[in-house]
Amino acid sequence: MRMGEGVEWGLHCCVTLGWLQDRAPVPIRRLAAWFDLPQEYLKKRLQPLARAGILGSGPGVRGGWSLARAPEDISVIEVVTALEGPLEAFRCTEIRRRGEGARDAGPEFDHLCGISTVMRRAELAWRRELAGQTIADLMAKAPDGAARTRRNYERIIASATD
Amino acid sequence: MRMGEGVEWGLHCCVTLGWLQDRAPVPIRRLAAWFDLPQEYLKKRLQPLARAGILGSGPGVRGGWSLARAPEDISVIEVVTALEGPLEAFRCTEIRRRGEGARDAGPEFDHLCGISTVMRRAELAWRRELAGQTIADLMAKAPDGAARTRRNYERIIASATD
DNA sequence: GAAGGGATACTCGGATACGCTATGTCCGAGTCGGACAGG
DNA sequence: CCTGTCCGACTCGGACATAGCGTATCCGAGTATCCCTTC
């Protein structure tokens, strides 16, 4: 089981955009150079976050990306769900109903499959953990990050040839 | 993010083998027909469970598959880990250290990445849920399953041409 | 009747093929802001 | 100086290409059990 790398990218971008809120919007070109990521593909991964109302983007020469809400109002699970989709990792296909083992089952299958129930409960615990953390919490976990980010961003803007 | 279907297959096979412990070992041919699954591929997915000491298999005309331990001693997380691998779903690649944003970071990066920490804690909650459930618990969740399974298995054995 | 050898039914492990999804790239269309020309 | 037009920068969305992994199948080798032959 593997989570796409877009989740790591998206979360780091949200945190960085939170630190640069007063310098937003940040063009995708700067954002990609910031983490040394492929620009086109990063853009493709951020678009679902805009559709989910987490990020905002604008065209034009002063366009770019920014947080669409306050960092306190964006939970980690929202970012993960927007990037990985709403479906659960474990998907019950009801194999218990198929084949020779399913004959004459009676009302037994009216109940939810026990395996499905257990897996679902585990995923709920996982989601609950991620729902309890926000972008603001992540920003607070790296107290030096805000200063470093703003300092480096100023320098890049100043040395830019454009 | 998606879990392979082998997890569902493996768990159902473990539960069924728990109910058929006194009729074990069960050949892969019967197990595949039991759930209407592709025989060769099911075999391939059960092999890691044998390597993990969860299932046992034996060759020969009386060979087949059986639980290697008591159902109470097999946790769901063991089955999942054997089939999906021990790696976590979220893998931190430390993109914070790369690119223009990482310049002059100082001792900030000595600490674990906050994003990585949050994701890891969520996965631990997920594992903890699955570690608290055993194959015996799953068997108990379907009280009618034991009788149905034994009844159908007897019938199949009796009607077999071999 | 006992020992030896072959047939059978199963497992194991590796090799191979296929398809889906994640990853990565490219291009045309649309939009915003600024530059520039004309009144 | 004001207004209208054009241009450049940037985004969006879709189309397309590539790679990796999950899915699926097949085959040869090994082994335990059973049966049959032979003594």
Side-chain angles (χ1 to χ4, degrees):
Chain A
M1 191 173 49
R2 173 156 206 166
M3 182 169 293
E5 56 190 357
V7 172
E8 185 185 10
W9 298 4
L11 286 172
H12 274 288
C13 285
C14 284
V15 169
T16 296
L17 288 174
W19 281 327
L20 293 176
Q21 264 179 308
D22 57 337
R23 302 301 305 252
V26 178
I28 195 69
R29 171 170 52 85
R30 296 207 191 285
L31 217 39
W34 192 258
F35 293 114
D36 192 22
L37 297 175
Q39 171 178 334
E40 290 299 313
Y41 189 43
L42 174 63
K43 186 182 65 173
K44 191 184 192 69
R45 302 319 305 272
L46 293 186
Q47 285 172 0
L49 295 181
R51 262 180 249 125
I54 296 168
L55 296 185
S57 65
V61 66
R62 292 270 178 227
W65 297 79
S66 55
L67 290 184
R69 294 181 246 152
E72 302 81 34
D73 293 334
I74 304 174
S75 70
V76 176
I77 189 64
E78 280 184 276
V79 176
V80 172
T81 301
L83 289 169
E84 291 288 307
L87 291 177
E88 303 191 355
F90 179 87
R91 300 172 199 183
C92 176
T93 60
E94 290 283 347
I95 66 170
R96 61 174 182 167
R97 296 184 192 271
R98 296 160 35 181
E100 299 171 343
R103 295 172 59 177
D104 301 337
E108 180 187 350
F109 291 164
D110 292 346
H111 296 78
L112 264 177
C113 173
I115 291 171
S116 174
T117 305
V118 166
M119 299 302 290
R120 181 182 304 257
R121 189 165 56 185
E123 291 205 26
L124 280 178
W126 177 78
R127 295 185 108 80
R128 189 161 44 237
E129 284 289 328
L130 295 185
Q133 296 286 319
T134 67
I135 297 299
D137 294 327
L138 294 177
M139 290 165 66
K141 278 181 196 295
D144 296 339
R148 167 182 53 83
T149 298
R150 302 175 66 84
R151 175 164 26 94
N152 279 342
Y153 198 71
E154 297 295 337
R155 171 160 53 189
I156 288 167
I157 295 290
S159 69
T161 55
D162 57 23
Chain B
M1 189 174 49
R2 173 155 206 166
M3 183 169 294
E5 56 191 357
V7 172
E8 185 185 10
W9 299 3
L11 287 171
H12 275 287
C13 285
C14 284
V15 170
T16 297
L17 288 174
W19 281 326
L20 293 176
Q21 264 180 308
D22 57 337
R23 303 299 306 250
V26 178
I28 194 70
R29 172 171 51 86
R30 295 206 192 287
L31 218 39
W34 192 258
F35 294 114
D36 192 21
L37 297 174
Q39 172 177 334
E40 290 298 313
Y41 189 42
L42 175 62
K43 186 181 65 174
K44 195 181 192 67
R45 304 315 310 269
L46 293 187
Q47 284 171 4
L49 295 181
R51 273 193 289 272
I54 295 169
L55 297 184
S57 66
V61 65
R62 292 265 177 234
W65 297 79
S66 57
L67 290 184
R69 295 182 245 150
E72 301 80 32
D73 294 334
I74 303 174
S75 70
V76 175
I77 189 64
E78 280 184 276
V79 177
V80 172
T81 300
L83 289 168
E84 292 288 309
L87 291 177
E88 303 191 356
F90 179 87
R91 300 172 197 181
C92 175
T93 61
E94 290 282 347
I95 65 170
R96 60 173 183 169
R97 296 184 192 273
R98 295 159 36 183
E100 298 171 343
R103 294 172 60 178
D104 303 336
E108 180 186 350
F109 291 163
D110 293 345
H111 297 79
L112 263 178
C113 172
I115 291 171
S116 173
T117 304
V118 166
M119 299 303 291
R120 180 182 304 258
R121 189 166 56 186
E123 293 205 26
L124 280 178
W126 177 77
R127 296 185 108 79
R128 190 162 44 238
E129 284 288 328
L130 296 185
Q133 297 285 320
T134 68
I135 297 300
D137 294 326
L138 294 177
M139 291 165 66
K141 278 181 196 294
D144 297 339
R148 168 182 52 85
T149 298
R150 302 173 65 84
R151 175 165 25 94
N152 279 342
Y153 198 70
E154 297 294 336
R155 172 161 52 189
I156 288 167
I157 295 290
S159 69
T161 55
D162 56 23

